[in-house]
Amino acid sequence: MNKKQLADIEGISVRTLMRWCEPFRQELTVMGLKPRAKKLPPHIVAFLSEKFCIDVE
């Protein structure tokens, strides 16, 4: 899944999604997310959907 798809599910822009992720940036980096990555690995999608209560199913 890419950032745009996840943002669209929540009805927000990619920029807003990235602002929401800001407090978790260090944790996401440790998990392997590159700052400019467009594709999100499944474990990152699961983490973000849990943190922000996004239903990705």
Side-chain angles (χ1 to χ4, degrees), residues 31-56:
M31 293 173 70
L33 182 64
K34 306 256 191 256
R36 298 200 184 263
K38 293 189 190 287
K39 291 231 175 213
L40 300 173
H43 67 283
I44 300 290
V45 173
F47 174 81
L48 294 176
S49 64
E50 182 181 321
K51 289 290 182 188
F52 305 129
C53 300
I54 300 172
D55 185 20
V56 293

Side-chain angles (χ1 to χ4, degrees), residues 1-45:
M1 177 175 286
N2 63 40
K3 290 177 183 177
K4 174 114 175 76
Q5 290 171 320
L6 187 60
D8 286 346
I9 290 170
E10 189 60 17
I12 58 173
S13 68
V14 173
R15 186 174 183 177
T16 299
L17 176 66
M18 296 320 297
R19 285 183 183 158
W20 287 7
C21 292
E22 195 63 33
F24 306 104
R25 184 190 335 199
Q26 186 174 7
E27 192 171 353
L28 289 167
T29 301
V30 170
M31 293 173 70
L33 182 64
K34 306 256 191 256
R36 298 200 184 263
K38 293 189 190 287
K39 291 231 175 213
L40 300 173
H43 67 283
I44 300 290
V45 173

